Amino acid sequence: MEKMLAAALALLIGLLMTRVFKMLRLHLPDVTAFLIAGLIIGPHCLGRLGIEGVGFTSAAEVENLSVISNTALGFIAFSIGNEFLLSQLKAIGKQAVIVGIFQALAATLFVDVALIGLHFLMPDKLSIEATIVLGAIAAATAPAATLMVVRQYKAKGKLTDILLPVVALDDAVGLAVFAVSFGIANSLVTGKTDMVGIIVEPLIQIAASLVLGSILGWVLTMLERTFFSNSNRLSLTIAFVVLTVALSMISFEIGGVRISFSTLLVCMMLGTVFCNICPLSHDLMERADKWTVPLFALFFVLSGAELELDVLKDGAVILVGVVYILMRSVGKYVGAYLSCSATKCDPVVKKYLGITLLPQAGVALGMCVTAAKLGSADGILIKNIILFSVLIYELFGPLLTKWALTKSGDIQPSAVNVQDRRMNKFQEALAQNEVSPASIKQAHRNMNWRKKKAARMARIKR
């Protein structure tokens, strides 16, 4: 009962915060509203009052709802996997792969170089092992915030087309880079070189995740054919994503080699296979998107509640965190810009893609759990630096993503979208002989006038 009450209140407060933002005319994405709502009801704000039912009084209470966060992350990855249609990949596949790999490695390189330089200035605060691990974590991008902004504003265009595949590839590259970097850092700490842990296990994790996701995607498609009700098909799809999340958490050892899976990669592959071989996937995804809206909202409220404000008390953490944030941001932008130039992407994509790749959250925090194995001092330092960066990135990343998508033209003024929907309704009414052709012409003239007015207003705002 307590968990249900906490989840319900968290969702309700998150939704109310979006209304507050709207009344204050802040024009911020809903993601930011959810995160701030989470901060307010988290252990560092209302939770400090110690009143049951008024905020989370401890991090353990937030952790008790981790099943919701894990499930939401699975659906986010599943949705991104649905963007890998073969018809689209033929046009942007090569560009997405090159950009996805290059910008991730560029972020790692920029952070590594900057933090290694900082290590020589303050060796007692920042070890070389910690710098290597932090550089690897810099490669990861949060797909959740990006997807939420794209959905909220119904972004469509050249930038959005390449953004979601790049974000998906980004996490795959990030996981591989982190596994190798952590293996190197661990070898420096222990004095032993474990090639299995550095090279073999990361490759097995990626390959096993792709295989498991492909098998489950094929099974889901076969099972969909046995149902004829859209409601049952939707229920089956939702159940299968939840099943996939659960299966991806299994790990075991064979001959001393640890076999594990990445929830993000497995669910992405599930969505990719499903959207390419199931003829009903498009309709089912539209229905699933509506079902997952409250789940995603709750995910971000809980993410906000998990943010640690205590890390702001440590000056060393803030210093290293600022360097990490700045150099990762520069690395992402420069890497995306150069790789877009090399692959002859559209100038708009080249200019704004790097800005949309800044959000960082769940994947990076998951890497911190593994980084804790380096030792108490390095593990705590890495966690605090990433917590500080996540606090900044999650609050400002969605806003920057919205700005970049708006500047690129992928987010249209709301008035234009409203008029398009009204015209579609008029066309449907005309087909059913409910309105006259003259009414359609007048509506069309009104729509064009309002579109021009909205476009002028958008230019003035810019």
Side-chain angles (χ1 to χ4, degrees), residues 105-250:
L105 295 178
T108 296
L109 178 63
F110 273 69
V111 172
D112 273 339
V113 171
L115 292 186
I116 288 174
L118 195 60
H119 157 73
F120 290 108
L121 295 177
M122 41 189 296
D124 56 327
K125 291 286 187 179
L126 182 65
S127 68
I128 195 70
E129 294 83 9
T131 64
I132 294 173
V133 174
L134 285 168
I137 296 176
T141 296
T146 303
L147 181 64
M148 195 77 170
V149 173
V150 169
R151 282 189 177 180
Q152 179 186 347
Y153 296 100
K154 298 178 176 61
K156 290 182 180 179
K158 295 179 180 179
L159 180 57
T160 305
D161 288 343
I162 194 172
L163 171 60
L164 294 178
V166 166
V167 168
L169 289 168
D170 180 277
D171 286 315
V173 176
L175 289 169
V177 171
F178 175 77
V180 173
S181 298
F182 177 76
I184 294 172
N186 196 43
S187 297
L188 292 175
V189 172
T190 61
K192 299 178 182 178
T193 303
D194 181 13
M195 296 306 294
V196 173
I198 295 175
I199 298 176
V200 177
E201 289 184 355
L203 293 177
I204 290 177
Q205 183 189 50
I206 293 172
S209 298
L210 296 178
V211 170
L212 178 61
S214 299
I215 293 173
L216 292 173
W218 180 82
V219 174
L220 172 59
T221 303
M222 294 301 105
L223 290 176
E224 293 284 7
R225 295 177 181 177
T226 63
F227 292 89
F228 302 98
S229 165
N230 285 332
S231 298
N232 288 338
R233 284 171 174 160
L234 175 61
S235 299
L236 176 65
T237 304
I238 292 171
F240 230 82
V241 175
V242 176
L243 174 65
T244 302
V245 172
L247 292 177
S248 66
M249 294 180 179
I250 297 174

Side-chain angles (χ1 to χ4, degrees), residues 81-99:
N82 271 269
E83 300 297 326
F84 283 90
L85 283 169
L86 292 178
S87 57
Q88 294 180 357
L89 289 179
K90 289 178 182 178
I92 62 169
K94 182 180 178 181
Q95 293 175 332
V97 170
I98 294 175
V99 174

Side-chain angles (χ1 to χ4, degrees), residues 311-334:
V311 299
L312 301 178
K313 298 177 182 178
D314 192 336
V317 169
I318 293 177
L319 174 61
V320 178
V322 168
V323 173
Y324 172 88
I325 291 170
L326 291 176
M327 298 313 297
R328 178 181 177 272
S329 301
V330 172
K332 286 285 183 181
Y333 187 84
V334 172

